[in-house]
Amino acid sequence: AAPTRVFAFRDARWAPDPVLAPSAAVRSPQPAPLVIDNGSFQTRAGWACPDPAVPAEPLLRFRSLAARSRGARGGAGAETQVGNDLGSPEPLRWLLRSPFDRNVPVQLELQELLFDHVFQRLGVSSQGCVDHPIVLTEAVCNPLYSRQMMSELLFECYQVPKVSYGVDSLYSFYHNRRQNWPCSGLVISSGYQCTHILPVLEGRLDAKNCKRINLGGCQAAVYLQRLLQLKYPGHFAAITLSRMEEILHEHSYIAQDYIEELQKWRCPEYYENNVHKMQLPFSNKLLGSTVASEEKQEKRQQQLRRLQELNARRREEKLQLDQERLDRLLYVQELLEDGQMDQFHKALVELNMDSAEELQSYINKLSLSIEQTKQKILQSEVNIEVDVVDSKPETPDLDPLGSEQSLEDVESINEFEPLFAEEQPEVEKPVAAVQPVFNLAEYHQLFLGTERIRAPEIVFQPSLIGEDQAGIAETMQYVLERYSKEQQAILVQNVFLTGGNTMYPGLKARIQKELLEMRPFQSSFQVGLASSPVLDAWYGARDWAVEYMNREEGWISRKDYEEKGGEYLKEHCASNVYVPIRLPKQAPRAAEAPSRASGTANPGEQA
């Protein structure tokens, strides 16, 4: 028998980050560097301190999101929540903002909110500034404008003493290959927004041959959401992005051969043995109404009485207003009868009338309307009394004349019975005994079959979602072909996988299969996975900060920022390559001025 593979969604809520009290070793003998892995999916922050009292792991881990609520009416103003303080992203999905465009921070106001959250929760106690050196990760080949704005934020707003920028995937490579550093290799980094192929030669990034694929975990989650919403349109709202990310992290895998794996899923036995059923939350209440017909009739009677009372109240209000207006008109008519012509004409102007005949006509109409309203009010009161009398239970004493009359009524009703034959059984049908004809729990299950491999496959076949890009295998082959055969042999001996989107089971075997197809016969290669693909970038940045804490290499001081600009970068083993801005040379204006002056002084010579 096939094992039952029913999994419930955790729908875990994020616990707010506490305010941590930093250890004394962070402040003495000198302020320890603060390491921030500024990722587009998650921000990780902690201290780089060799003292064993300070944890060698990120103390803060939260989603790189912020939301600003509108605030209560008449109460406090808008409230801004960051990261884990949001609790859950789904109720606030339309309010969520991220400082990133793909993997590049562009919204510096939101980035400042993330930094404020980090410094506050880590207990940075310096007044008016952050006096700790900052080690910050950035995107591969980060635009100079983005680095300039980030340096301006750190130096001008937080008054940091020095900053170092590095690439997250290179920090991870440095952490896992530290014993053999400097070394060469091919780094495949796949994150939330992008996938990068980075060749590293002798411990330095070869930026000219780096390639980026604009696909990552975010696009896989959106693709999986669309697949399941098309498959289960009845559960459209329950198929959220957070649940899709949970499915990707825990139930998806990379097929070694995608077409062959799809053929396996066509077999019913294979499907039953490998399908994962995701249980959506549901209620045990029946979908249909279980209210008896008598209760429905009683509810209708109550609604009818309520409507009659509402109409009666409106008629009374209208009657009161009409009566007040009639009294006013009769008072004006009395002025005419008493001979007070001036006041009478003045009152006619206020009433927007022209003559006494028009006044008399309006009085007659208003009097008639008041009489009709009074009759309607009396009739409605009689109807309400009749309804109340009819609602009383019938007495068992029946006199003979009454019984004869009731028999005649029954015979007259039987004549019209065929007209109500379709509606009558439906009203009197007992609904309380209805049982569900299907398993309600199974109705609220998502069956994950080929979706388990289709969503993560987009990084190898972007055409699945209509993207006109090359996959990982084609891009990797393109990068390798830009080197000589000797350099290719060196690079493929150290193919390194890192990033949160490389944690799928089977990814390493798939990369080995692709390399086996593209490499020459009997050539060797090695594929390795990071020890912790998500956290190794932070660990590598911490290792670098501890080692280079007292050196000048890789650190941008405030003096460098003021002299060379915010886009300036000091290179190190895990950094980008600094390409300064080259402005076009302009002709000196001092040389142009004499020629213009001579031209205006001697116009005859020019002629």
Side-chain angles (χ1 to χ4, degrees), residues 248-288:
L248 285 176
H249 295 164
E250 300 181 7
H251 302 278
S252 298
Y253 65 97
I254 297 288
Q256 189 168 353
D257 189 318
Y258 182 67
I259 302 299
E260 182 180 345
E261 192 72 17
L262 288 179
Q263 294 297 328
K264 290 181 181 178
W265 279 99
R266 296 182 64 181
C267 175
E269 183 178 356
Y270 185 87
Y271 180 88
E272 290 295 330
N273 292 333
N274 293 276
V275 67
H276 284 199
K277 304 174 184 178
M278 304 302 300
Q279 183 67 62
L280 292 170
F282 67 97
S283 174
N284 287 322
K285 294 181 180 179
L286 293 178
L287 299 178

Side-chain angles (χ1 to χ4, degrees), residues 118-176:
V118 168
F119 299 145
Q120 179 190 4
R121 300 307 168 95
L122 287 181
V124 177
S125 57
S126 51
Q127 295 294 329
C129 67
V130 177
D131 58 354
H132 293 270
I134 304 293
V135 178
L136 189 67
T137 60
E138 64 178 7
V140 181
C141 301
N142 192 32
L144 297 182
Y145 177 75
S146 177
R147 187 185 302 130
Q148 176 185 356
M149 298 300 293
M150 191 69 72
S151 296
E152 182 179 344
L153 177 64
L154 292 172
F155 283 111
E156 301 294 346
C157 181
Y158 296 104
Q159 305 292 324
V160 298
K162 55 183 179 179
V163 179
S164 177
Y165 296 105
V167 180
D168 51 359
S169 51
L170 296 183
Y171 277 134
S172 178
F173 189 54
Y174 175 77
H175 175 71
N176 285 269

